[in-house]
Amino acid sequence: MSENTQSIAEKFKQKLLRGVGTAIADFNMIEDGDRVMVCLSGGKDSYTLLTLLLDLQRRAPVRFELLAVNLDQKQPGFPEHVLPEYLTALGVPFRVIERDTYSVVKAIIPEGKTTCSLCSRLRRGILYNTAVDERCTKIALGHHADDILQTFLLNLFFSGSLKAMPPALRSDDGRNMIIRPLAYCWESDVAKFAETQQYPIIPCDLCGSQENLKRKRVKRLIDELQGEIPEVRLSMLKALANVRPSQLLDRRLFDFGSLSGDRANLADELDGALRAHRDLTVATLVPVTLNV
């Protein structure tokens, strides 16, 4: 690696580390004694996540273990040797799980239809069970800020719901805690850093090969808006940490029925309407400052 490349790599690494450190602190992602399972797909995002967590592991005030896990889904041409060789050279504990989910997905999903939903469900179940077997207290995924914004718009446009990818989440069965340490990191920074590292990237022959995905359309939309409004990504991310239930239409989050038609003190009236949902209000109305 040339001196200039090293300088560029260090610049982006420090920027990404600031984002990861802030996200971990904001959402209490990693605690003393944690055993963190890092899901390694062979893409730039998961490679970068592992690199950053290894750096933090050496310098963090809390002690935690890392276990890299890859799911070999038996896609044709998958280079089985790449990840074991890479992780062995790094000296990182790892486990490779072999499950032929590729054949299952191809058998169930008609040609030309999107495979992501079924593929991700199968992959998630296998990884969740592996985390339990390996006694891991956290599962770290490589989703970054752009993934979060795209998911938010996908749900808004196509499923009629306001939700995204939370930085920390307890699985529905209560067995696993999922964390996304790259939640404050932008894909462009991850890509520039990954390029300097020359990771042995393994392409996905399922979802990665499908050009007409709704996610790709949403990504293009955000890129177009960013060209017109340079701060639009940051504004969207901040909005997800600055939710106002009384300004939406969900009656489960705000007691609109308690609002009177008479003239009243608006502040007192809103306080009363929100009293039944105080826990939610505290969690959602506190803005998060993004120093990334």
Side-chain angles (χ1 to χ4, degrees):
M1 186 184 297
S2 68
E3 185 175 336
N4 183 54
T5 302
Q6 286 180 330
S7 176
I8 294 173
E10 188 61 25
K11 170 188 172 184
F12 282 105
K13 184 178 184 181
Q14 292 306 315
K15 184 176 183 181
L16 292 169
L17 281 171
R18 285 195 298 273
V20 169
T22 303
I24 288 175
D26 280 354
F27 300 99
N28 194 33
M29 291 186 187
I30 298 178
E31 302 169 280
D32 192 55
D34 269 340
R35 179 171 166 82
V36 182
M37 188 177 95
V38 184
C39 297
L40 197 64
S41 66
K44 70 180 189 314
D45 303 331
S46 60
Y47 274 125
T48 298
L49 174 62
L50 179 62
T51 298
L52 298 176
L53 289 179
L54 285 170
D55 190 287
L56 287 174
Q57 186 184 43
R58 291 189 290 269
R59 299 188 288 121
V62 299
R63 293 178 299 172
F64 61 93
E65 298 179 50
L66 294 175
L67 174 69
V69 171
N70 170 253
L71 174 59
D72 179 354
Q73 298 176 268
K74 296 304 174 183
Q75 297 179 21
F78 180 79
E80 298 178 359
H81 65 285
V82 170
L83 287 172
E85 290 178 0
Y86 175 79
L87 294 167
T88 299
L90 277 183
V92 175
F94 69 92
R95 178 178 172 186
V96 175
I97 309 155
E98 298 185 3
R99 297 286 191 280
D100 189 3
T101 61
Y102 179 87
S103 295
V104 175
V105 171
K106 298 299 285 186
I108 294 177
I109 304 298
E111 190 68 30
K113 297 294 184 180
T114 302
T115 60
C116 291
S117 178
L118 176 59
C119 182
S120 64
R121 286 202 306 273
L122 294 172
R123 186 171 62 246
R124 185 164 55 244
I126 294 167
L127 291 173
Y128 283 9
N129 287 334
T130 301
V132 173
D133 293 342
E134 293 288 346
R135 303 184 306 281
C136 292
T137 55
K138 305 285 173 61
I139 301 175
L141 304 179
H143 298 125
H144 44 63
D146 289 275
D147 288 322
I148 293 173
L149 298 186
Q150 291 163 23
T151 300
F152 173 70
L153 290 186
L154 281 169
N155 284 315
L156 176 66
F157 294 157
F158 302 111
S159 72
S161 61
L162 286 179
K163 62 181 182 179
M165 290 176 170
L169 173 71
R170 175 71 66 181
S171 62
D172 291 340
D173 60 14
R175 298 186 304 161
N176 304 107
M177 178 66 76
I178 294 85
I179 60 173
R180 296 182 170 95
L182 298 180
Y184 289 166
C185 298
W186 300 110
E187 183 177 19
S188 58
D189 294 330
V190 171
K192 289 171 184 173
F193 174 72
E195 186 177 349
T196 68
Q197 302 302 294
Q198 297 183 323
Y199 293 128
I201 301 297
I202 301 174
C204 174
D205 293 328
L206 272 175
C207 57
S209 63
Q210 295 179 298
E211 294 300 328
N212 297 321
L213 296 180
K214 293 173 181 176
R215 181 173 291 276
K216 291 188 177 183
R217 177 63 188 96
V218 167
K219 183 179 185 298
R220 291 198 302 272
L221 173 62
I222 297 176
D223 287 342
E224 292 166 4
L225 289 172
Q226 184 76 18
E228 302 172 16
I229 313 166
E231 297 298 320
V232 73
R233 277 187 169 89
L234 184 59
S235 179
M236 290 174 66
L237 195 62
K238 285 186 173 180
L240 292 176
N242 188 22
V243 180
R244 307 297 175 91
S246 65
Q247 307 301 303
L248 300 173
L249 282 69
D250 194 334
R251 290 175 293 166
R252 296 169 299 180
L253 301 183
F254 187 84
D255 186 8
F256 293 97
S258 69
L259 299 178
S260 68
D262 299 329
R263 187 178 182 86
N265 184 308
L266 183 59
D268 290 343
E269 193 169 74
L270 289 178
D271 283 344
L274 284 168
R275 192 168 295 120
H277 309 282
R278 185 166 302 280
D279 290 342
L280 173 68
T281 305
V282 170
T284 58
L285 295 187
V286 178
V288 175
T289 301
L290 305 180
N291 298 315
V292 296

